[in-house]
Amino acid sequence: MSTGHRRLEPGKLVVASHNKGKIREINALVEPFGFEVVSAADLGLPEPEETGTTFEANAELKAVASAEASGYPALADDSGLVVDALDGDPGIYSARWAGEAKDFAMAMRNVEEALANADAHTPEQRTARFVAVLCLAWPDGHREFFRGEVEGRMVWPPRGDHGFGYDPAFLPDGFEKTFGEMTADEKHGWAQGEDNPLSHRARAFKLFADACLSE
Ligand code: IMP
Protein backbone atom coordinates (compact mmCIF):
# COMPACT_ATOMS: atom_id res chain seq x y z
CA MET A 1 0.00 0.00 0.00
CA SER A 2 1.37 3.44 -0.83
CA THR A 3 1.55 5.88 2.11
CA GLY A 4 2.67 8.78 -0.06
CA HIS A 5 6.05 8.47 1.63
CA ARG A 6 9.19 7.14 0.03
CA ARG A 7 10.23 3.78 1.53
CA LEU A 8 13.78 3.39 2.75
CA GLU A 9 15.37 0.16 1.56
CA PRO A 10 17.73 -1.64 3.99
CA GLY A 11 21.36 -0.65 3.50
CA LYS A 12 23.70 1.97 4.83
CA LEU A 13 22.07 4.72 6.84
CA VAL A 14 23.94 7.69 8.25
CA VAL A 15 22.80 9.01 11.60
CA ALA A 16 23.50 12.70 11.19
CA SER A 17 24.64 13.39 14.73
CA HIS A 18 27.71 13.89 16.90
CA ASN A 19 25.73 13.54 20.15
CA LYS A 20 26.60 10.19 21.77
CA GLY A 21 23.33 9.92 23.73
CA LYS A 22 21.27 10.54 20.60
CA ILE A 23 23.35 8.24 18.39
CA ARG A 24 22.89 5.45 20.95
CA GLU A 25 19.12 5.95 21.05
CA ILE A 26 18.73 6.21 17.26
CA ASN A 27 20.94 3.14 16.68
CA ALA A 28 18.76 1.11 19.04
CA LEU A 29 15.66 2.29 17.16
CA VAL A 30 16.94 1.63 13.64
CA GLU A 31 19.09 -1.50 13.97
CA PRO A 32 16.21 -4.02 14.28
CA PHE A 33 15.20 -3.00 10.74
CA GLY A 34 18.44 -4.35 9.27
CA PHE A 35 20.30 -1.11 8.54
CA GLU A 36 24.01 -0.71 8.64
CA VAL A 37 24.14 2.37 10.80
CA VAL A 38 27.10 4.75 10.77
CA SER A 39 27.17 8.13 12.44
CA ALA A 40 28.30 11.45 11.00
CA ALA A 41 30.90 11.41 13.78
CA ASP A 42 32.23 7.97 12.63
CA LEU A 43 32.53 9.29 9.06
CA GLY A 44 34.33 12.43 10.22
CA LEU A 45 31.64 14.63 8.68
CA PRO A 46 31.58 18.22 9.94
CA GLU A 47 28.80 19.29 12.28
CA PRO A 48 26.79 21.98 10.46
CA GLU A 49 25.90 25.07 12.40
CA GLU A 50 22.26 24.93 13.49
CA THR A 51 21.12 28.20 12.01
CA GLY A 52 17.42 27.28 11.62
CA THR A 53 14.68 28.81 13.75
CA THR A 54 12.57 25.62 14.02
CA PHE A 55 13.25 22.00 14.95
CA GLU A 56 12.29 21.07 11.36
CA ALA A 57 14.78 23.47 9.77
CA ASN A 58 17.64 22.28 11.99
CA ALA A 59 16.84 18.58 11.44
CA GLU A 60 16.74 19.25 7.71
CA LEU A 61 20.06 21.05 7.51
CA LYS A 62 21.81 18.27 9.46
CA ALA A 63 20.24 15.44 7.41
CA VAL A 64 20.89 17.14 4.07
CA ALA A 65 24.54 17.92 4.95
CA SER A 66 25.21 14.26 5.86
CA ALA A 67 23.34 12.86 2.84
CA GLU A 68 25.20 15.14 0.44
CA ALA A 69 28.61 14.50 2.00
CA SER A 70 28.23 10.70 2.30
CA GLY A 71 26.08 9.77 -0.70
CA TYR A 72 23.79 7.69 1.60
CA PRO A 73 20.38 8.41 3.08
CA ALA A 74 20.80 10.27 6.35
CA LEU A 75 18.56 10.56 9.38
CA ALA A 76 18.80 13.58 11.67
CA ASP A 77 17.00 14.36 14.87
CA ASP A 78 16.55 17.87 16.15
CA SER A 79 15.06 17.92 19.56
CA GLY A 80 14.67 19.93 22.69
CA LEU A 81 12.81 20.82 25.80
CA VAL A 82 9.98 23.36 25.44
CA VAL A 83 8.91 24.96 28.73
CA ASP A 84 5.60 26.84 28.60
CA ALA A 85 6.34 29.35 31.38
CA LEU A 86 9.58 30.27 29.58
CA ASP A 87 7.83 31.05 26.29
CA GLY A 88 9.16 27.82 24.82
CA ASP A 89 12.77 28.12 26.02
CA PRO A 90 15.22 26.44 25.91
CA GLY A 91 13.53 24.95 22.79
CA ILE A 92 15.83 24.81 19.77
CA TYR A 93 18.59 26.16 22.05
CA SER A 94 18.40 23.19 24.48
CA ALA A 95 21.92 21.96 23.70
CA ARG A 96 23.32 25.51 23.79
CA TRP A 97 21.97 26.12 27.31
CA ALA A 98 24.49 23.47 28.44
CA GLY A 99 27.40 25.50 27.08
CA GLU A 100 30.60 24.27 25.44
CA ALA A 101 31.19 21.88 28.33
CA LYS A 102 27.75 20.23 27.74
CA ASP A 103 27.02 20.74 31.40
CA PHE A 104 23.39 19.67 31.79
CA ALA A 105 23.45 19.99 35.59
CA MET A 106 24.00 23.70 34.88
CA ALA A 107 21.40 23.77 32.09
CA MET A 108 18.77 22.20 34.39
CA ARG A 109 19.70 24.72 37.11
CA ASN A 110 19.30 27.56 34.61
CA VAL A 111 15.83 26.28 33.65
CA GLU A 112 14.95 26.08 37.34
CA GLU A 113 16.18 29.63 37.96
CA ALA A 114 14.22 30.90 34.98
CA LEU A 115 11.09 29.15 36.30
CA ALA A 116 11.62 30.76 39.72
CA ASN A 117 12.05 34.19 38.04
CA ALA A 118 8.80 33.54 36.16
CA ASP A 119 7.10 32.68 39.49
CA ALA A 120 6.30 29.19 38.18
CA HIS A 121 6.09 27.02 41.29
CA THR A 122 3.01 24.79 41.01
CA PRO A 123 2.94 21.70 38.76
CA GLU A 124 0.38 23.47 36.51
CA GLN A 125 2.79 26.38 36.02
CA ARG A 126 5.68 24.05 35.19
CA THR A 127 4.30 22.26 32.14
CA ALA A 128 6.76 21.34 29.39
CA ARG A 129 7.25 18.96 26.51
CA PHE A 130 10.09 17.26 24.77
CA VAL A 131 9.92 17.61 20.98
CA ALA A 132 11.81 15.53 18.43
CA VAL A 133 11.72 16.11 14.69
CA LEU A 134 13.28 13.50 12.45
CA CYS A 135 14.34 14.40 8.94
CA LEU A 136 15.31 11.67 6.52
CA ALA A 137 17.20 13.06 3.52
CA TRP A 138 18.27 11.15 0.41
CA PRO A 139 21.29 12.17 -1.68
CA ASP A 140 18.91 13.05 -4.55
CA GLY A 141 17.27 15.74 -2.42
CA HIS A 142 14.08 13.92 -1.32
CA ARG A 143 13.15 14.64 2.33
CA GLU A 144 10.65 13.29 4.85
CA PHE A 145 9.78 14.79 8.27
CA PHE A 146 8.26 13.22 11.41
CA ARG A 147 7.49 15.02 14.71
CA GLY A 148 7.01 13.40 18.13
CA GLU A 149 6.15 15.14 21.42
CA VAL A 150 5.72 14.05 25.02
CA GLU A 151 3.97 16.23 27.59
CA GLY A 152 5.12 16.56 31.19
CA ARG A 153 6.42 19.04 33.74
CA MET A 154 9.66 20.19 35.24
CA VAL A 155 10.61 18.88 38.68
CA TRP A 156 13.28 20.03 41.10
CA PRO A 157 15.68 18.66 42.20
CA PRO A 158 16.59 16.48 39.20
CA ARG A 159 16.13 12.73 39.82
CA GLY A 160 17.93 9.72 38.35
CA ASP A 161 21.03 9.17 36.29
CA HIS A 162 19.73 7.32 33.23
CA GLY A 163 19.25 8.94 29.81
CA PHE A 164 20.92 12.23 28.98
CA GLY A 165 20.38 15.97 28.80
CA TYR A 166 17.36 17.24 30.73
CA ASP A 167 15.94 13.75 31.47
CA PRO A 168 16.35 13.94 35.28
CA ALA A 169 14.26 17.16 35.52
CA PHE A 170 11.38 16.00 33.28
CA LEU A 171 8.40 14.08 34.66
CA PRO A 172 6.18 12.76 31.85
CA ASP A 173 2.42 13.08 32.47
CA GLY A 174 0.92 9.99 34.10
CA PHE A 175 4.22 8.70 35.52
CA GLU A 176 5.96 8.96 38.89
CA LYS A 177 9.46 8.48 37.56
CA THR A 178 11.39 11.17 35.69
CA PHE A 179 12.97 10.18 32.37
CA GLY A 180 16.25 10.12 34.31
CA GLU A 181 14.86 7.41 36.61
CA MET A 182 13.56 5.26 33.75
CA THR A 183 15.38 2.56 31.85
CA ALA A 184 15.67 3.18 28.12
CA ASP A 185 12.77 0.74 27.54
CA GLU A 186 10.57 2.63 29.98
CA LYS A 187 11.52 6.04 28.57
CA HIS A 188 10.70 4.98 25.04
CA GLY A 189 7.52 3.26 26.20
CA TRP A 190 8.51 -0.17 24.94
CA ALA A 191 7.98 -1.60 28.39
CA GLN A 192 4.26 -1.38 27.38
CA GLY A 193 4.80 -2.73 23.85
CA GLU A 194 6.06 -1.16 20.67
CA ASP A 195 2.71 0.29 19.71
CA ASN A 196 2.72 2.62 22.70
CA PRO A 197 5.77 4.81 22.34
CA LEU A 198 6.31 7.34 25.14
CA SER A 199 9.41 9.42 24.48
CA HIS A 200 9.26 12.16 21.85
CA ARG A 201 11.99 10.35 19.90
CA ALA A 202 10.22 6.96 20.00
CA ARG A 203 6.97 8.66 18.89
CA ALA A 204 8.68 10.40 15.97
CA PHE A 205 10.46 7.17 15.17
CA LYS A 206 7.23 5.17 15.07
CA LEU A 207 5.79 7.62 12.54
CA PHE A 208 9.00 7.27 10.50
CA ALA A 209 9.01 3.45 10.75
CA ASP A 210 5.34 3.17 9.80
CA ALA A 211 5.83 5.48 6.81
CA CYS A 212 9.24 4.50 5.47
CA LEU A 213 10.45 1.15 6.82
CA SER A 214 9.44 -2.41 6.13
CA GLU A 215 10.21 -5.18 8.63
P1 IMP B 1 20.09 19.12 19.24
O1 IMP B 1 18.89 18.44 18.70
O2 IMP B 1 21.36 18.39 18.90
O3 IMP B 1 20.11 20.56 18.94
O4 IMP B 1 20.07 19.01 20.81
C1 IMP B 1 18.93 18.70 21.50
C2 IMP B 1 19.15 18.89 22.98
O5 IMP B 1 17.84 18.77 23.57
C3 IMP B 1 19.98 17.81 23.64
O6 IMP B 1 21.33 18.13 23.73
C4 IMP B 1 19.34 17.76 25.03
O7 IMP B 1 19.80 18.84 25.74
C5 IMP B 1 17.87 18.04 24.76
N1 IMP B 1 17.16 16.77 24.57
C6 IMP B 1 16.66 16.28 23.41
N2 IMP B 1 16.11 15.08 23.59
C7 IMP B 1 16.30 14.79 24.88
C8 IMP B 1 15.97 13.63 25.65
O8 IMP B 1 15.44 12.61 25.19
N3 IMP B 1 16.30 13.72 26.95
C9 IMP B 1 16.90 14.79 27.49
N4 IMP B 1 17.26 15.86 26.82
C10 IMP B 1 16.95 15.87 25.51
Side-chain angles (χ1 to χ4, degrees), residues 17 19 22 25 50 62 77-81 91-92 94-95 104 130-131 164-167 179 187 199-201:
S17 180
N19 173 328
K22 254 198 227 176
E25 288 197 358
E50 297 189 16
K62 288 185 275 191
D77 156 308
D78 199 64
S79 49
L81 175 71
I92 59 167
S94 293
F104 281 96
F130 272 124
V131 176
F164 67 99
Y166 298 87
D167 279 341
F179 271 175
K187 172 178 170 181
S199 73
H200 49 315
R201 194 162 293 105

Side-chain angles (χ1 to χ4, degrees), residues 5 11-12 26 50 69-70 72 79 87 120-121 123 130 140 152 197 201 209:
H5 295 281
K12 203 178 246 188
I26 296 175
E50 297 189 16
S70 70
Y72 293 102
S79 49
D87 295 327
H121 302 290
F130 272 124
D140 70 1
R201 194 162 293 105

Side-chain angles (χ1 to χ4, degrees), residues 17-27 39 41 102 164:
S17 180
H18 287 71
N19 173 328
K20 288 204 179 77
K22 254 198 227 176
I23 294 170
R24 190 174 58 233
E25 288 197 358
I26 296 175
N27 278 358
S39 73
K102 310 213 163 150
F164 67 99

Side-chain angles (χ1 to χ4, degrees), residues 6 67-68 70-74 137-142:
R6 186 191 282 186
E68 283 179 354
S70 70
Y72 293 102
W138 277 261
D140 70 1
H142 185 80

Side-chain angles (χ1 to χ4, degrees), residues 8 13 30 35 75 134 136 146 203-213:
L8 182 66
L13 177 66
V30 179
F35 288 95
L75 183 66
L134 290 174
L136 178 62
F146 306 96
R203 287 177 174 171
F205 186 81
K206 179 155 177 24
L207 296 174
F208 159 58
D210 289 349
C212 298
L213 303 182

Side-chain angles (χ1 to χ4, degrees), residues 114-179:
L115 281 168
N117 290 338
D119 258 333
H121 302 290
T122 68
E124 296 71 34
Q125 293 168 325
R126 298 169 59 91
T127 53
R129 69 200 55 75
F130 272 124
V131 176
V133 171
L134 290 174
C135 176
L136 178 62
W138 277 261
D140 70 1
H142 185 80
R143 286 144 216 202
E144 302 270 354
F145 292 89
F146 306 96
R147 175 183 267 249
E149 302 190 358
V150 56
E151 300 286 331
R153 62 188 163 86
M154 304 314 295
V155 294
W156 195 259
R159 302 185 334 228
D161 51 17
H162 292 289
F164 67 99
Y166 298 87
D167 279 341
F170 182 81
L171 184 69
D173 284 350
F175 292 82
E176 286 174 7
K177 284 186 192 174
T178 66
F179 271 175

